[in-house]
Amino acid sequence: TTRIPGVGTDTIQHLLDSKHLAVYHKGRFFKVWLYHGGQLLKPRDLEMQFQRILDDPSPPQPGEEKLAALTAGERIPWAKARVDFFRQGKNKTSLDAIEQAAFFLSLDDDAQGYDKERERPLDEYAKSLLHGKCYDRWFDKSFTVVVFQNGKLGVNA
């Protein structure tokens, strides 16, 4: 499901059959296909897509890196921005890809988890799962899976 911002009230968009994930990595958004020809992809096929994302050196497009911050802020400005900037063309196609994804996956560059050398490592871990940098989580999706550089993971729901 996806929460759609509105001026009066938000609405919930229920999806019956999502065939991809939306992935955020180093300021870029990617689409990872889960099915091909009606068949669920094998783990090695998913791994190849994730590896391409991790190896991609291209910088974010203008406005791409912090786009998700719109989902973390006030709802009315986000609702108005959707109408003004996301109702047609590439912006609409990109937003639809995120909103119609099965879920949102954030591949973080930071390492998180317990570390006896750091003072309050689990607080940092929890804060990162809760809000990250506020522009690397898509708060309008039902949940975001966060995978940290060291392989630890968690969910923002």
Side-chain angles (χ1 to χ4, degrees):
T1 60
T2 300
R3 179 175 59 159
I4 307 297
V7 174
T9 185
D10 289 354
T11 57
I12 300 294
Q13 176 185 36
H14 294 282
L15 306 167
L16 299 176
D17 192 23
S18 296
K19 299 201 177 342
H20 69 277
L21 302 178
V23 179
Y24 182 89
H25 178 63
K26 292 188 176 183
R28 304 273 324 276
F29 290 90
F30 299 88
K31 190 176 194 177
V32 170
W33 291 103
L34 301 173
Y35 292 88
H36 181 72
Q39 297 291 320
L40 190 60
L41 291 176
K42 293 182 179 357
R44 70 175 176 256
D45 297 322
L46 294 171
E47 180 185 11
M48 286 189 320
Q49 291 183 80
F50 289 124
Q51 193 61 55
R52 272 190 232 122
I53 291 169
L54 293 171
D55 294 342
D56 187 337
S58 55
Q61 296 295 310
E64 182 179 21
E65 182 177 20
K66 297 185 180 175
L67 176 65
L70 290 168
T71 68
E74 294 288 326
R75 303 305 291 167
I76 292 173
W78 174 210
K80 290 179 179 178
R82 280 177 65 93
V83 171
D84 292 342
F85 303 110
F86 294 92
R87 71 178 156 194
Q88 62 187 4
K90 186 186 286 189
N91 287 353
K92 180 178 182 352
T93 301
S94 298
L95 183 61
D96 286 349
I98 295 168
E99 291 181 342
Q100 294 171 9
F103 61 91
F104 194 80
L105 174 68
S106 182
L107 300 174
D108 280 19
D109 286 330
D110 300 328
Q112 292 291 347
Y114 179 73
D115 180 352
K116 64 182 178 185
E117 302 299 319
R118 293 185 1 228
E119 177 186 334
R120 307 185 67 116
L122 294 179
D123 288 356
E124 294 171 24
Y125 186 30
K127 285 179 183 178
S128 185
L129 288 173
L130 183 61
H131 55 71
K133 297 172 184 151
C134 289
Y135 61 80
D136 55 356
R137 310 285 185 261
W138 197 271
F139 294 104
D140 286 349
K141 289 301 288 177
S142 295
F143 66 95
T144 296
V145 175
V146 182
V147 179
F148 298 99
Q149 186 182 38
N150 59 346
K152 303 283 185 188
L153 61 95
V155 176
N156 172 294

